[in-house]
């Protein structure tokens, strides 16, 4: 599939089914694209589709099967859209293109040649618990224990939305980072876990 150059070919890209519940179109919307007038269209649709399928089939569908509907806040970003976000980092809070290859930029492999994809999602059924308790760690630990193919999670205060990544590099070191205060430790932000921390392995069922 070539890069879409018309409404018809872009519609065809949007109709690609990435998994039983998700279509490519859901991941193409971008506020930066809308406001800045930069098309959010993959240069390499085939790679973007492959990365998106990997993310949806291995990570998003298993979460949705248990927790119910997932809302996509942000998914694919073209290099041009992400570059504008990085250029205006204070406003849009995007990291560099190089840091987002095989992340939000699905159609470029990372520096080691691996394919990957990131989406920012909200787990709708979790919102009442989060709004009542401020505890985002219950969801984080459940995913850590039950979704083996996630590579990283980064949580944000609004709606307990979080970036979740999947990569074809099976030697990655998983981590969970948050910009939300941890209600159990009082720590304002930082790593909940990563490889090498004492809490990385084993079950965390007591938290969820």
């Amino acid at each position: 599939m070539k890069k879409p150059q018309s409404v018809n070919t872009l519609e065809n890209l949007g109709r690609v089914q990435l998994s039983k519940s998700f279509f490519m179109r859901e991941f193409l919307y971008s506020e930066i694209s809308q406001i800045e007038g930069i098309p959010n269209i993959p240069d390499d649709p085939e790679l973007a589709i492959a990365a998106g399928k990997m993310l949806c089939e291995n990570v998003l569908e298993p979460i949705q099967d248990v927790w119910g509907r997932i809302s996509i806040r942000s998914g694919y970003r073209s290099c041009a859209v992400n570059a504008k976000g990085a250029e205006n980092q204070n406003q849009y809070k995007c990291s560099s293109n190089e840091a987002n290859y095989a992340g939000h930029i699905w159609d470029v492999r990372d520096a080691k040649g691996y394919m990957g994809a990131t989406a920012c999602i909200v787990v709708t059924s979790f919102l009442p618990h989060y709004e009542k308790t401020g505890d985002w760690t219950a969801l984080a630990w459940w995913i850590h224990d039950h979704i083996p193919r996630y590579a990283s999670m980064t949580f944000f205060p609004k709606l307990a939305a979080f970036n979740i990544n999947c990569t074809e590099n099976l030697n990655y070191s998983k981590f969970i980072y948050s910009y939300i205060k941890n209600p159990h430790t009082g720590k304002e932000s930082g790593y909940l876990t990563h490889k090498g921390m004492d809490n990385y392995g084993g079950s965390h069922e007591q938290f969820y």
Side-chain angles (χ1 to χ4, degrees):
M1 181 184 292
K2 295 180 180 179
K3 180 179 181 178
Q5 301 289 339
S6 67
V7 171
N8 183 56
T9 54
L10 184 56
E11 284 180 338
N12 288 338
L13 174 62
R15 292 188 183 105
V16 173
Q17 190 169 6
L18 300 177
S19 63
K20 66 180 181 179
S21 304
F22 297 102
F23 289 82
M24 188 68 183
R25 191 176 190 271
E26 299 172 72
F27 298 91
L28 295 178
Y29 181 82
S30 162
E31 283 85 359
I32 297 173
S33 171
Q34 293 291 311
I35 293 297
E36 299 289 351
I38 304 171
N40 194 39
I41 301 173
D43 291 317
D44 187 343
E46 295 291 348
L47 180 56
I49 289 168
K53 285 184 175 180
M54 180 180 64
L55 174 67
C56 290
E57 291 173 354
N58 292 287
V59 175
L60 301 189
E61 290 286 4
I63 295 173
Q64 185 162 267
D65 284 344
V66 174
W67 290 84
R69 182 179 179 272
I70 286 174
S71 176
I72 308 300
R73 291 289 307 141
S74 175
Y76 168 81
R77 292 185 203 143
S78 70
C79 287
V81 167
N82 192 83
K84 175 58 70 172
E87 177 185 324
N88 296 298
Q89 191 175 39
N90 290 337
Q91 180 179 2
Y92 298 139
K93 297 178 172 61
C94 295
S95 55
S96 69
N97 280 15
E98 289 75 12
N100 260 314
Y101 291 156
H104 279 294
I105 302 175
W106 298 6
D107 58 331
V108 181
R109 295 177 181 272
D110 66 19
K112 295 182 178 179
Y114 290 107
M115 174 179 71
T118 293
C120 185
I121 66 173
V122 172
V123 177
T124 309
S125 66
F126 185 69
L127 280 177
H129 173 78
Y130 174 67
E131 290 171 350
K132 182 179 179 181
T133 67
D135 185 4
W136 54 275
T137 66
L139 180 58
W141 282 127
W142 184 91
I143 293 172
H144 184 73
D145 287 356
H146 293 88
I147 309 297
R149 283 297 306 276
Y150 97 87
S152 65
M153 287 184 277
T154 301
F155 280 77
F156 307 101
K158 292 181 180 179
L159 304 175
F162 59 101
N163 284 342
I164 189 163
N165 175 264
C166 184
T167 174
E168 66 178 348
N169 178 9
L170 299 182
N171 294 317
Y172 55 80
S173 295
K174 296 181 180 182
F175 69 82
I176 304 173
Y177 189 90
S178 181
Y179 292 98
I180 316 171
K181 182 178 180 178
N182 186 326
H184 301 288
T185 65
K187 189 175 181 181
E188 292 296 329
S189 64
Y191 287 99
L192 177 64
T193 194
H194 59 70
K195 194 171 183 178
M197 288 181 66
D198 292 340
N199 64 357
Y200 184 80
S203 172
H204 305 85
E205 189 174 0
Q206 69 269 28
F207 295 110
Y208 53 84

